[in-house]
Amino acid sequence: MGRTLSQVSLWGRIFALGYEPFQALSERAGTRALRRRLLEQASGRVLEVGAGTGLNLPHYTEQVSELVLLEPEEPMAHQLERHLGRKRARTATVVRAPGEELPFEDDSFDYVVTTFVLCTVDDPERTLAEFDRVLKPGGRFAFLEHVRAEDGTSLAGWQDRLHGAWLRFGQGCHCNRRSEQAIAASPLSLERVERGMLPKEPPIVKPYVLGTASSEPRSIG
């Protein structure tokens, strides 16, 4: 489960409070538009894992019948609940739990969504297997993730060199994680992938992938 406030570091609390101001320039420069495109097809019962402070909330459409927001970090969950409590915010349920241990039954969601989350989970393989488990057969995983640059490039080299420092600054963010490859190796089936560079971000977290993967029908017996 998510850590309680007493167990969270001072930096964790500062990070949660400063996350939206730190991201504001990138959001205005194009990341907000990426979020909107990612979520325009989301429908039915939707689980967003690592919902943070709620930057995706304005981009969910009326096609979403139920929205569940999972956030394991207590300071982030607190900011998220404050966001939801504001006037005109959409209705959603906040759940405190890690991505590796989703407290939901099998085949219970039409969509799972992540934005800049797979870089922070402790066990990407287990997390992706959990996504597949809770998705209905044919359900979709929609993702926007920053990833490791192409091998052999100077940017990939800098991601490796600065990984330790960024891990501490970014509250557990692995700037050189191969998240696209992890999705491809998971039980989910990749449908589409778009690659690009996030605007107005530090270079080591600029490379991104945006796309969808689907949960295959499960055999019986």
Side-chain angles (χ1 to χ4, degrees):
M1 299 296 289
R3 289 175 288 183
T4 64
L5 275 173
S6 62
Q7 295 172 309
V8 175
S9 68
L10 175 61
W11 177 242
R13 302 179 202 184
I14 294 171
F15 185 86
L17 289 170
Y19 184 75
E20 289 193 31
F22 182 78
Q23 290 295 118
L25 185 59
S26 178
E27 292 290 323
R28 291 194 298 269
T31 301
R32 187 178 297 153
L34 292 175
R35 294 179 189 272
R36 188 180 304 116
R37 283 204 293 117
L38 177 75
L39 300 174
E40 62 187 359
Q41 298 300 320
S43 61
R45 190 171 190 233
V46 176
L47 170 66
E48 182 178 343
V49 176
T53 60
L55 287 173
N56 285 333
L57 288 175
H59 307 303
Y60 287 105
T61 72
E62 293 181 356
Q63 298 177 98
V64 176
S65 59
E66 181 183 357
L67 180 60
V68 179
L69 305 173
L70 185 128
E71 176 51 56
E73 293 291 331
E74 181 59 38
M76 284 288 197
H78 179 68
Q79 293 296 316
L80 182 59
E81 288 173 331
R82 288 185 61 188
H83 191 152
L84 286 168
R86 295 171 192 160
K87 191 176 181 180
R88 294 187 298 276
R90 69 166 295 131
T91 302
T93 302
V94 178
V95 175
R96 290 159 167 81
E100 294 89 346
E101 298 178 21
L102 299 180
F104 309 108
E105 295 182 358
D106 297 357
D107 306 337
S108 53
F109 290 94
D110 299 289
Y111 264 80
V112 171
V113 172
T114 65
T115 53
F116 313 120
V117 168
L118 291 178
C119 58
T120 65
V121 297
D122 291 334
D123 189 335
E125 290 184 6
R126 184 175 174 187
T127 299
L128 289 162
E130 280 288 272
F131 294 176
D132 180 64
R133 180 183 67 78
V134 302
L135 278 170
K136 297 175 183 177
R140 283 185 167 81
F141 168 42
F143 56 89
L144 171 60
E145 299 287 342
H146 64 76
V147 293
R148 179 182 171 81
E150 187 176 347
D151 286 341
T153 62
S154 61
L155 181 52
W158 279 108
Q159 287 176 317
D160 292 340
R161 283 189 285 272
L162 297 177
H163 173 262
W166 187 263
L167 186 67
R168 293 186 291 274
F169 174 79
Q171 193 65 2
C173 171
H174 297 264
C175 62
N176 60 354
R177 182 164 278 175
R178 304 173 191 267
S179 293
E180 180 183 346
Q181 290 88 335
I183 296 168
S186 77
L188 299 160
S189 296
L190 272 174
E191 295 180 322
R192 67 181 182 92
V193 178
E194 168 192 314
R195 301 172 185 85
M197 301 292 277
L198 294 168
K200 306 297 182 181
E201 289 279 10
I204 61 172
V205 288
K206 274 182 173 288
Y208 77 81
V209 292
L210 180 153
T212 57
S214 63
S215 180
E216 297 294 324
R218 282 171 266 283
S219 59
I220 300 175

